[in-house]
Amino acid sequence: MSDGTMRAFPPIVARFTRHLPLLPMERLVAEISNRFASQNPDFFERLGDYASKSFVIVPTDLDWMTSLSFHNGRVQLRLSRSLDAFPNRDVTVTAPFLSLLDLLDGEEDGDALFFSRDLTIEGDTEAVLALRNAIDDAEIDFIHECAQLAGPLSQPVERGGKWVFDTIRKFPWMKKEPAAESDQPGMPMPGPYPT
């Protein structure tokens, strides 16, 4: 598990993603999400009443964001390049892409990310806590789920995907020094976060 010291992708990555069409990505991620949902019905039970909430996930180092909601055992997913596309959002979670991916996979400590100021949360914190607990219980492996779409090639695709992300994480420019200790250790961090 990492310690909340992941740095964002350099700006050139966001400039590149600006030119990617959103609709194919949206359909791909929706397919992966609904494949996972069909195999993990307990995920929705764990969310309970919070399944009707709208969660917006904002990778700070990419040029798009995702809106998620959960209805009738399916994931409703939309991509956009503007928060204005999601005016009725209940929760907004913001962090670098790899940190979000590690949170999803259970490899990142959400509290460490929050206190290192790499993660911010706005809106219904109880809904965030419910989603976090449901994800933790589901033990999601995002790259594995993506690789399953490759059918008989899923194992080499999964190995290749994990190698790529592990290699990126090791790049010197993907790490940052931990935040310096505050002179006022008792000072509260700004913004709500469920613990």
Side-chain angles (χ1 to χ4, degrees), residues 142-172:
F142 184 72
I143 295 175
H144 172 78
E145 298 296 337
C146 292
Q148 297 312 298
L149 298 181
L153 298 177
S154 60
Q155 289 188 353
V157 168
E158 180 176 350
R159 286 195 300 269
K162 290 187 174 181
W163 178 84
V164 167
F165 280 105
D166 287 344
T167 301
I168 290 172
R169 288 183 181 97
K170 293 174 184 173
F171 287 164

Side-chain angles (χ1 to χ4, degrees), residues 4 94 96 112-120 176 179 187-190:
T94 305
L113 271 180
F114 177 75
F115 287 109
S116 69
R117 303 187 185 204
D118 289 326
L119 172 73
T120 61
K176 68 179 182 181
M187 187 171 60
M189 296 292 293

Side-chain angles (χ1 to χ4, degrees), residues 3 19 29-30 60 65 70 74 117 120 123 146 154 170 173 179:
D3 56 2
H19 302 289
V29 179
T60 56
M65 56 205 67
F70 308 92
R74 290 184 63 82
R117 303 187 185 204
T120 61
C146 292
S154 60
K170 293 174 184 173
W173 44 264

